[in-house]
Amino acid sequence: MGEATPLADYREVNFDGLVGPTHNYAGLAMGNVASMRHGGLVANPREGALQGLAKMKALMDAGYLQGVLPPQQRPDLGALRALGFAGSDERVLARAAGEAPQILRAVCSASSMWTANAATVTPSPDAPDGRLHVTPANLQSSFHRFLEPATTGRVLQAIFRDDAYFAHHPALPATPAFSDEGAANHTRLCGEHGESGVHLFVYGREAFGWGSESSPAPQRFPARQTLEASQAVARQHGLADHQVVFAQQHPDAIDAGVFHNDVIAVGNGPVLLYHEMAFLDEQSTLEALRERMSAPLIPVRVPVEAVSLADAVGSYLFNSQLLSNPDGSMTLVVPGECRENEAVWRCLHDHLLAGANPIGEVVVKDVKQSMRNGGGPACLRLRMVLSAKERTALDGRVLLDDALHGELVAWVERHYRDRLAPEELADPALVRETLTALDELSSLLRIGSVYPFQLG
């Protein structure tokens, strides 16, 4: 790629997923306590999308680089037809609603808003070929998310199109052995963003060692990420042994509702903020990171005495965005539920802000529509470390500015309903509304034809 790129040219860009027009509470996600608890409630898609955009705008205004990723085409009538529901759109919806309402709810899910699950990303300073590498997650552990990777891949290839800077890999085989949930189980730790980093891959189970004494299993909820999937992604991206750490998630945490590692830990730069129950072998994980990192690791441990697993899951304290500031400090962006939990709020001020670590500010954002389905601020974003040249090489109009924000808000207000109950998902008008909205959005973002209905 020629001369070395100055470290200052690298910036982290958070690509947030737009909440889709079919945002609803169907309770589809086994092991996601919030999703299961709120299943059947009436959702407000318009409010959800505007809450997400408000968070993006606030972070942009604070000086952070912010990107946008579009929602997926829902309802997914192609999936219903593949499952044997035939006829007109109206007939397909009516049959699915009558014969298999849970399948209908699944093909209407707006879960692509949680772009932390969209892919795993290795930035160019870490890759042997000097390019940014992307692998869409196969999300095979749940049907409603398994429908996403094909469109996700098209969207990412439309934006990160220039193969001089970006390398795209296929999603892993969609089998239980290679169950991959993307960046929600992956954290990059480093000194500065442009320096070479160490990649922490967290898995819930070993596909080919399941049930052995060295690989204990959760008893209540499924472990979604396999060691084999994490290893395969690392190989795809050309990462060497000294650049990776593979750590098993604590089975008790999974059984408490920690379905992804980003519900119990968040890292940024050299800082790893984590709950003491995040990893099965906490000390070995920290030691492996220290051995591989060029900068000193700064672990920020939250003991169970300060925040219980139940409070961690209920508040999504660790599903927060940890962001670097120019002065070396960091800002933690937490959901409003953290302020409502006395133990968590006390921990934030007495333990984190008062501790010997770079976290100097806590910012609260309302993302309640997402939170009720089990997705906090960190679920809503896919992190990309990009050089100035790589940012210039992006296709489309996806980096947020005031004009784009205003147009997206107006787009949401034109097209989104302010009420959507699960029983309303069979409304044929919803199909027409969403296709009209998405066709307009793809033009607004200048990403071309990425949706099935646009591809014929």
Side-chain angles (χ1 to χ4, degrees):
M1 297 297 294
E3 296 181 2
T5 303
L7 291 182
D9 278 2
Y10 287 93
R11 296 279 304 277
E12 180 181 81
V13 184
N14 284 276
F15 283 86
D16 280 38
L18 281 167
V19 177
T22 60
H23 163 58
N24 69 95
Y25 298 126
L28 298 170
M30 173 63 71
N32 182 328
V33 175
S35 173
M36 295 163 65
R37 181 185 302 129
H38 294 104
L41 294 183
V42 175
N44 188 329
R46 183 184 302 165
E47 181 180 64
L50 294 177
Q51 285 175 347
L53 282 166
K55 178 180 79 73
M56 295 183 224
K57 176 68 158 57
L59 295 183
M60 182 195 76
D61 288 344
Y64 305 107
L65 295 182
Q66 181 66 58
V68 178
L69 293 177
Q72 301 226 351
Q73 180 181 331
R74 297 292 182 269
D76 189 336
L77 295 178
L80 289 179
R81 289 192 165 93
L83 294 173
F85 298 100
S88 65
D89 290 353
E90 291 79 3
R91 176 61 177 158
V92 167
L93 290 169
R95 281 195 62 191
E99 300 172 24
Q102 279 301 100
I103 293 178
L104 175 61
R105 293 182 181 192
V107 303
C108 290
S109 173
S111 54
S112 66
M113 71 174 84
W114 300 307
T115 55
N117 299 122
T120 304
V121 179
T122 293
S124 56
D126 301 346
D129 64 359
R131 296 187 294 170
L132 180 142
H133 288 249
V134 183
T135 298
N138 61 31
L139 298 172
Q140 69 86 46
S141 65
S142 53
F143 173 63
H144 67 290
R145 302 224 64 179
F146 165 76
L147 300 174
E148 297 174 19
T151 297
T152 296
R154 285 194 297 271
V155 168
L156 293 175
Q157 290 182 45
I159 296 169
F160 301 88
R161 188 186 303 273
D162 191 335
D163 61 10
Y165 294 98
F166 311 118
H168 295 269
H169 302 275
L172 300 180
T175 69
F178 294 99
S179 182
D180 179 27
E181 301 279 310
N185 292 313
H186 167 258
T187 299
R188 177 180 185 259
L189 296 160
C190 58
E192 301 292 332
H193 286 311
E195 295 177 353
S196 179
V198 172
H199 296 254
L200 173 60
F201 290 89
V202 181
Y203 63 94
R205 62 183 175 90
E206 295 179 44
F208 302 116
W210 194 230
S212 68
E213 290 184 7
S214 63
S215 182
Q219 301 300 307
R220 183 184 179 199
F221 294 133
R224 299 190 186 182
Q225 183 84 21
T226 65
L227 170 63
E228 290 80 359
S230 298
Q231 292 170 328
V233 171
R235 282 193 297 269
Q236 282 185 336
H237 294 193
L239 295 173
D241 289 346
H242 69 273
Q243 295 176 289
V244 297
V245 172
F246 299 101
Q248 184 172 352
Q249 195 172 359
H250 203 298
D252 291 348
I254 295 174
D255 282 338
V258 182
F259 54 99
H260 291 140
N261 181 63
D262 68 1
V263 179
I264 202 71
V266 59
N268 178 58
V271 174
L272 179 64
L273 170 60
Y274 70 100
H275 191 276
E276 73 165 281
M277 295 293 288
F279 309 110
L280 181 62
D281 192 335
E282 175 187 354
Q283 291 308 313
S284 292
T285 300
L286 297 180
E287 288 170 9
L289 290 171
R290 288 190 177 104
E291 288 174 2
R292 290 161 174 78
M293 288 177 62
S294 56
L297 175 69
I298 305 176
V300 183
R301 181 182 193 262
V302 176
V304 71
E305 291 82 7
V307 176
S308 67
L309 272 175
D311 283 341
V313 172
S315 67
Y316 269 36
L317 164 61
F318 299 92
N319 195 248
S320 300
Q321 290 179 256
L322 189 56
L323 304 168
S324 297
N325 299 318
D327 64 0
S329 69
M330 295 188 188
T331 295
L332 189 68
V333 181
V334 303
E337 285 74 5
C338 286
R339 185 162 51 193
E340 298 166 7
N341 185 301
E342 182 179 350
V344 169
W345 196 240
R346 183 170 58 248
C347 175
L348 280 167
H349 288 82
D350 296 348
H351 186 69
L352 298 187
L353 291 179
N357 65 75
I359 303 172
E361 179 186 29
V362 170
V363 174
V364 179
K365 291 299 171 189
D366 179 10
V367 288
K368 195 171 294 294
Q369 286 290 321
S370 174
M371 282 288 291
R372 287 175 180 162
N373 252 338
C379 282
L380 288 162
R381 59 95 174 99
L382 179 64
R383 308 165 81 172
M384 298 268 197
V385 171
L386 299 168
S387 69
K389 289 181 178 179
E390 289 164 347
R391 297 194 297 274
T392 301
L394 297 178
D395 275 20
R397 186 184 175 212
V398 293
L399 294 180
L400 198 68
D401 55 23
D402 287 332
L404 179 57
H405 174 263
E407 291 176 47
L408 288 171
V409 167
W411 172 80
V412 168
E413 291 176 339
R414 276 196 305 276
H415 295 292
Y416 279 51
R417 299 184 180 190
D418 61 6
R419 182 190 189 282
L420 190 59
E423 59 268 20
E424 296 174 298
L425 297 175
D427 180 4
L430 187 63
V431 176
R432 297 189 292 272
E433 292 167 16
T434 57
L435 296 188
T436 299
L438 295 179
D439 206 34
E440 184 179 320
L441 178 66
S442 58
S443 295
L444 194 158
L445 297 179
R446 301 172 190 164
I447 55 175
S449 297
V450 295
Y451 293 113
F453 78 95
Q454 296 172 324
L455 299 171

PDB file of all heavy atoms in Angstrom, residues 423-435:
ATOM      1  N   GLU A 423     -49.698  -8.900  15.788  1.00  0.00           N
ATOM      2  CA  GLU A 423     -50.817  -9.340  14.949  1.00  0.00           C
ATOM      3  C   GLU A 423     -50.992  -8.473  13.706  1.00  0.00           C
ATOM      4  O   GLU A 423     -51.726  -8.830  12.781  1.00  0.00           O
ATOM      5  CB  GLU A 423     -52.112  -9.377  15.747  1.00  0.00           C
ATOM      6  CG  GLU A 423     -52.526  -8.048  16.351  1.00  0.00           C
ATOM      7  CD  GLU A 423     -52.004  -7.845  17.759  1.00  0.00           C
ATOM      8  OE1 GLU A 423     -51.023  -8.545  18.141  1.00  0.00           O
ATOM      9  OE2 GLU A 423     -52.558  -6.996  18.478  1.00  0.00           O
ATOM     10  N   GLU A 424     -50.323  -7.321  13.658  1.00  0.00           N
ATOM     11  CA  GLU A 424     -50.431  -6.431  12.498  1.00  0.00           C
ATOM     12  C   GLU A 424     -49.385  -6.742  11.426  1.00  0.00           C
ATOM     13  O   GLU A 424     -49.377  -6.110  10.366  1.00  0.00           O
ATOM     14  CB  GLU A 424     -50.288  -4.974  12.945  1.00  0.00           C
ATOM     15  CG  GLU A 424     -51.409  -4.510  13.865  1.00  0.00           C
ATOM     16  CD  GLU A 424     -51.173  -3.119  14.417  1.00  0.00           C
ATOM     17  OE1 GLU A 424     -50.171  -2.923  15.133  1.00  0.00           O
ATOM     18  OE2 GLU A 424     -52.003  -2.228  14.129  1.00  0.00           O
ATOM     19  N   LEU A 425     -48.519  -7.716  11.674  1.00  0.00           N
ATOM     20  CA  LEU A 425     -47.456  -8.031  10.714  1.00  0.00           C
ATOM     21  C   LEU A 425     -47.991  -8.646   9.433  1.00  0.00           C
ATOM     22  O   LEU A 425     -47.294  -8.663   8.416  1.00  0.00           O
ATOM     23  CB  LEU A 425     -46.432  -8.963  11.363  1.00  0.00           C
ATOM     24  CG  LEU A 425     -45.690  -8.380  12.573  1.00  0.00           C
ATOM     25  CD1 LEU A 425     -44.803  -9.441  13.209  1.00  0.00           C
ATOM     26  CD2 LEU A 425     -44.873  -7.158  12.177  1.00  0.00           C
ATOM     27  N   ALA A 426     -49.216  -9.166   9.457  1.00  0.00           N
ATOM     28  CA  ALA A 426     -49.811  -9.765   8.258  1.00  0.00           C
ATOM     29  C   ALA A 426     -50.507  -8.738   7.377  1.00  0.00           C
ATOM     30  O   ALA A 426     -51.085  -9.107   6.343  1.00  0.00           O
ATOM     31  CB  ALA A 426     -50.798 -10.858   8.660  1.00  0.00           C
ATOM     32  N   ASP A 427     -50.450  -7.476   7.735  1.00  0.00           N
ATOM     33  CA  ASP A 427     -51.094  -6.427   6.951  1.00  0.00           C
ATOM     34  C   ASP A 427     -50.358  -6.259   5.620  1.00  0.00           C
ATOM     35  O   ASP A 427     -49.184  -5.882   5.598  1.00  0.00           O
ATOM     36  CB  ASP A 427     -51.060  -5.119   7.747  1.00  0.00           C
ATOM     37  CG  ASP A 427     -51.717  -3.966   7.015  1.00  0.00           C
ATOM     38  OD1 ASP A 427     -52.270  -4.175   5.913  1.00  0.00           O
ATOM     39  OD2 ASP A 427     -51.684  -2.838   7.548  1.00  0.00           O
ATOM     40  N   PRO A 428     -51.019  -6.529   4.471  1.00  0.00           N
ATOM     41  CA  PRO A 428     -50.330  -6.379   3.178  1.00  0.00           C
ATOM     42  C   PRO A 428     -49.808  -4.969   2.942  1.00  0.00           C
ATOM     43  O   PRO A 428     -48.819  -4.786   2.215  1.00  0.00           O
ATOM     44  CB  PRO A 428     -51.416  -6.749   2.156  1.00  0.00           C
ATOM     45  CG  PRO A 428     -52.393  -7.584   2.916  1.00  0.00           C
ATOM     46  CD  PRO A 428     -52.397  -7.036   4.307  1.00  0.00           C
ATOM     47  N   ALA A 429     -50.448  -3.982   3.548  1.00  0.00           N
ATOM     48  CA  ALA A 429     -49.980  -2.602   3.367  1.00  0.00           C
ATOM     49  C   ALA A 429     -48.576  -2.420   3.935  1.00  0.00           C
ATOM     50  O   ALA A 429     -47.816  -1.567   3.451  1.00  0.00           O
ATOM     51  CB  ALA A 429     -50.955  -1.629   4.031  1.00  0.00           C
ATOM     52  N   LEU A 430     -48.234  -3.202   4.950  1.00  0.00           N
ATOM     53  CA  LEU A 430     -46.905  -3.076   5.551  1.00  0.00           C
ATOM     54  C   LEU A 430     -45.815  -3.435   4.543  1.00  0.00           C
ATOM     55  O   LEU A 430     -44.750  -2.821   4.526  1.00  0.00           O
ATOM     56  CB  LEU A 430     -46.810  -3.973   6.788  1.00  0.00           C
ATOM     57  CG  LEU A 430     -45.544  -3.851   7.630  1.00  0.00           C
ATOM     58  CD1 LEU A 430     -45.408  -2.449   8.218  1.00  0.00           C
ATOM     59  CD2 LEU A 430     -45.529  -4.899   8.741  1.00  0.00           C
ATOM     60  N   VAL A 431     -46.097  -4.414   3.682  1.00  0.00           N
ATOM     61  CA  VAL A 431     -45.130  -4.786   2.639  1.00  0.00           C
ATOM     62  C   VAL A 431     -44.909  -3.614   1.697  1.00  0.00           C
ATOM     63  O   VAL A 431     -43.773  -3.230   1.396  1.00  0.00           O
ATOM     64  CB  VAL A 431     -45.610  -6.021   1.852  1.00  0.00           C
ATOM     65  CG1 VAL A 431     -44.651  -6.337   0.713  1.00  0.00           C
ATOM     66  CG2 VAL A 431     -45.770  -7.220   2.778  1.00  0.00           C
ATOM     67  N   ARG A 432     -45.982  -3.025   1.227  1.00  0.00           N
ATOM     68  CA  ARG A 432     -45.862  -1.900   0.291  1.00  0.00           C
ATOM     69  C   ARG A 432     -45.143  -0.719   0.946  1.00  0.00           C
ATOM     70  O   ARG A 432     -44.299  -0.061   0.312  1.00  0.00           O
ATOM     71  CB  ARG A 432     -47.255  -1.481  -0.199  1.00  0.00           C
ATOM     72  CG  ARG A 432     -47.979  -2.577  -1.003  1.00  0.00           C
ATOM     73  CD  ARG A 432     -49.236  -2.033  -1.639  1.00  0.00           C
ATOM     74  NE  ARG A 432     -50.264  -1.701  -0.658  1.00  0.00           N
ATOM     75  CZ  ARG A 432     -51.170  -2.558  -0.197  1.00  0.00           C
ATOM     76  NH1 ARG A 432     -51.167  -3.820  -0.625  1.00  0.00           N
ATOM     77  NH2 ARG A 432     -52.076  -2.182   0.681  1.00  0.00           N
ATOM     78  N   GLU A 433     -45.471  -0.461   2.196  1.00  0.00           N
ATOM     79  CA  GLU A 433     -44.844   0.663   2.902  1.00  0.00           C
ATOM     80  C   GLU A 433     -43.330   0.459   3.026  1.00  0.00           C
ATOM     81  O   GLU A 433     -42.546   1.390   2.793  1.00  0.00           O
ATOM     82  CB  GLU A 433     -45.453   0.809   4.295  1.00  0.00           C
ATOM     83  CG  GLU A 433     -46.902   1.262   4.306  1.00  0.00           C
ATOM     84  CD  GLU A 433     -47.537   1.094   5.685  1.00  0.00           C
ATOM     85  OE1 GLU A 433     -46.785   0.919   6.676  1.00  0.00           O
ATOM     86  OE2 GLU A 433     -48.779   1.124   5.777  1.00  0.00           O
ATOM     87  N   THR A 434     -42.920  -0.753   3.397  1.00  0.00           N
ATOM     88  CA  THR A 434     -41.494  -0.986   3.620  1.00  0.00           C
ATOM     89  C   THR A 434     -40.706  -0.980   2.312  1.00  0.00           C
ATOM     90  O   THR A 434     -39.594  -0.437   2.259  1.00  0.00           O
ATOM     91  CB  THR A 434     -41.265  -2.307   4.374  1.00  0.00           C
ATOM     92  OG1 THR A 434     -41.852  -3.389   3.640  1.00  0.00           O
ATOM     93  CG2 THR A 434     -41.887  -2.255   5.763  1.00  0.00           C
ATOM     94  N   LEU A 435     -41.266  -1.545   1.254  1.00  0.00           N
ATOM     95  CA  LEU A 435     -40.547  -1.542  -0.023  1.00  0.00           C
ATOM     96  C   LEU A 435     -40.384  -0.125  -0.553  1.00  0.00           C
ATOM     97  O   LEU A 435     -39.322   0.238  -1.081  1.00  0.00           O
ATOM     98  CB  LEU A 435     -41.262  -2.418  -1.046  1.00  0.00           C
ATOM     99  CG  LEU A 435     -41.344  -3.920  -0.732  1.00  0.00           C
ATOM    100  CD1 LEU A 435     -41.906  -4.676  -1.933  1.00  0.00           C
ATOM    101  CD2 LEU A 435     -40.000  -4.486  -0.322  1.00  0.00           C
TER     102      LEU A 435
END
